[in-house]
Each structure stands twice: as structure tokens, then as C-alpha cells.
Amino acid sequence: SFRRPEAPSLTQVPGWLGPMVQLQSFDTFLEEADKLYVSAPAYTRYSMKYRHCDGRLVLKVTNDVITLTYSTDQASDLRRMDRLNAIFFARMSGADPADAESGAML
């Protein structure tokens, strides 16, 4: 059984959902997002938003205690996003993420 992660005392403030961390490096975002998912898989969500008018992609991973975000306007980062999708899909389906990164699941 999964338990909701412990939240800092600041979560008692109405409307406060936890710290939002903006990461500048995609590799750091990937590592931290994977750690966040492993720590609380039942409560972790992943979303992405692309704004065509800005040409900006925003990736967000949260477990309601911590929110990690990564924002980019580089086209090369779009391919790297596929790597993150593969890792999350593998974890959510119970497969080994190492197989997902190598392309074995695709």
C-alpha cells in the first residue's frame, strides 16, 4: 500500500501546494522527476504544455508536495521529452525503465 508523502508544515496554508522547483538542465529534471515518481508512484502526475505562439514547451511533474518544472524553446529538447515519456510509461506499466531508454519497448 502506498502512503501519501509527508508534506512540509507550510502545506497547512490554504492554497499552498508545495514548493515549485524550476530546473534549468533537462538531465537534472529527468533524474529528479524519476526520483519523485519512485518516491510516491500513486500520487505523482506528469503534464506537458506546448504554447505554439511562444514556441515554448513546459514539462511539470508533481506529487502535490513538490512540483518540478522544466521549460524550453529549443526544438532539440522535444526529442529528449520522448525519453522522459518512455521512462514514465515503463514505470507506470511495471517494465524496466532501462529497456525503455534503450528503445526495447518501442
Side-chain angles (χ1 to χ4, degrees), residues 55-85:
R56 180 160 293 283
L57 175 70
V58 179
L59 304 174
K60 185 185 294 187
V61 178
T62 185
N63 67 358
D64 291 333
V65 176
I66 297 173
T67 302
L68 304 173
T69 60
Y70 175 75
S71 180
T72 184
D73 59 358
Q74 301 298 311
S76 62
D77 285 337
L78 294 177
R79 278 191 243 139
R80 299 171 90 189
M81 182 198 63
D82 287 337
R83 189 168 139 213
L84 180 64
N85 284 338

Side-chain angles (χ1 to χ4, degrees), residues 17-36:
L17 295 176
M20 181 176 283
V21 180
Q22 175 73 36
L23 298 166
Q24 303 299 319
S25 163
F26 184 82
D27 292 327
T28 304
F29 175 77
L30 183 66
E31 290 172 23
E32 294 301 320
D34 192 36
K35 287 180 195 174
L36 193 65

Side-chain angles (χ1 to χ4, degrees), residues 1-16:
S1 70
F2 296 109
R3 292 183 359 190
R4 183 169 282 282
E6 293 298 320
S9 60
L10 288 175
T11 58
Q12 303 306 317
V13 177
W16 192 81

